[in-house]
Amino acid sequence: MGVELAVELRRLEEEGRTGVLHAADGAFHLADGAIVSADCGRTTGLDRLVIEAGVATAEDWQRARAGDPGRVLGRPRLETLALLSVFDAAYFLLASPAVPEFRPAPPHWLAPVCHIAPRALVHECARRGDPEWGPWSAELVDRAPVVPVRRVRRRRVVLTGGQAEVLAAADARRSIAEIGRELARTTYGCLMAVRDLTAAGLIEQPVATPPPVEPMRPEPEAVIPVAAGGSGRLPRRRVRRSEASVPVPDRLEPPDRDLLVRLRAALEELA
């Protein structure tokens, strides 16, 4: 758990601050020290949960975000879905080592229906367990596709309704976060379902997609000042044959096996 983020939330709670605490790929919205909303790029947005549940229409939600939440605030189940959204986003944000940044701002429009004490939020996220537990760590929810096994070895497997939905949505392309948005479910709930399905032998072990490698930029050519009419580039130096020749062995020696093992272990830790 990100200790610095948890400490900052407690500080803002004690000072009764109102504003937005940015962290990693999301943010916490606070009003008088209480958390009233949270969003994360890896979790299903509250708008998706609310619209799919039939609590509000897309037009009502857009009107609420524009400053007219009257039609949405009084709807049943809005508070429950808002709480689920906050705990879902917090589980992944608190696992990030990013440095938080607080900015004062007016209260979020969800403040009348959602109030969570930061200490209760941190306690609940800790109770849910280590985000890095098992093969499906929290950092893989948007990086690894969920791949169902081709052949089930067990004759009889009992699944819950949520596990069956997640398994049916697994198409070897979508990640856990994408499945959560498709099903309008929390990312944490889908993560737990995928962990259980993997333990049951119905989902393959995750293979994380490596981050894109930025191309190397060419170094600028060295230029020296010259008199008018010169080229402005360094003159080429003629290389002698003895300088250019490099001894090449007839055959390469076999690699150090222990070194390869250590390198492979290091890469697996970084993956």
Side-chain angles (χ1 to χ4, degrees):
M1 177 176 292
V3 178
E4 187 172 357
L5 178 56
V7 171
E8 182 66 7
L9 284 172
R10 292 293 301 273
R11 183 187 70 84
L12 296 173
E13 178 185 17
E14 293 175 357
E15 297 179 359
R17 302 295 297 275
T18 299
V20 183
L21 180 63
H22 297 273
D25 59 340
F28 293 94
H29 299 263
L30 295 97
D32 298 327
I35 300 172
V36 298
S37 179
D39 55 82
C40 176
R42 289 163 288 172
T43 60
T44 305
L46 178 59
D47 56 342
R48 177 81 174 109
L49 299 176
V50 167
I51 294 172
E52 185 65 21
V55 175
T57 64
E59 291 75 16
D60 289 340
W61 191 260
Q62 291 178 359
R63 190 178 294 109
R65 295 187 63 179
D68 183 18
R71 295 187 179 183
V72 178
L73 289 178
R75 300 291 177 85
R77 297 183 61 192
L78 175 62
E79 180 181 359
T80 301
L81 294 175
L83 292 173
L84 283 175
S85 177
V86 170
F87 283 110
D88 193 30
Y91 181 78
F92 297 98
L93 293 178
L94 286 172
S96 172
V99 178
E101 179 184 1
F102 178 75
R103 296 179 182 177
H108 195 277
W109 64 270
L110 283 170
V113 296
C114 183
H115 275 79
I116 305 173
R119 66 185 67 190
L121 182 75
V122 173
H123 175 75
E124 172 61 20
C125 291
R127 186 194 67 80
R128 290 186 174 190
D130 185 5
E132 305 304 318
W133 175 83
W136 287 95
S137 62
E139 65 177 7
L140 295 181
V141 294
D142 62 340
R143 291 177 47 194
V146 182
V147 182
V149 297
R150 295 184 178 181
R151 184 176 182 180
V152 181
R153 297 181 179 180
R154 299 174 62 177
R155 294 184 177 180
R156 186 168 182 267
V157 180
V158 179
L159 302 178
T160 64
Q163 292 171 348
E165 285 188 344
V166 171
L167 182 60
D171 58 359
R173 296 189 304 272
R174 286 181 291 198
S175 64
I176 294 177
E178 291 171 330
I179 290 176
R181 297 187 188 98
E182 176 68 21
L183 300 178
R185 293 183 174 273
T186 63
T187 302
Y188 173 77
C190 291
L191 172 62
M192 297 304 296
V194 169
R195 285 176 174 175
D196 293 337
L197 291 169
T198 303
L202 301 178
I203 295 293
E204 298 282 358
Q205 296 285 331
V207 178
T209 303
V213 179
E214 295 184 1
M216 296 183 61
R217 296 181 179 179
E219 294 291 337
E221 278 191 88
V223 179
I224 58 174
V226 295
S231 62
R233 296 189 178 185
L234 288 173
R236 291 190 176 183
R237 184 173 67 91
R238 172 167 279 180
V239 181
R240 296 181 181 179
R241 192 173 191 84
S242 59
E243 291 180 282
S245 61
V246 178
V248 180
D250 296 334
R251 63 184 181 87
L252 297 176
E253 294 295 330
D256 186 350
R257 185 175 183 83
D258 293 337
L259 177 61
L260 290 179
V261 172
R262 293 196 299 272
L263 287 174
R264 187 177 295 110
L267 289 175
E268 289 176 354
E269 291 180 1
L270 293 175

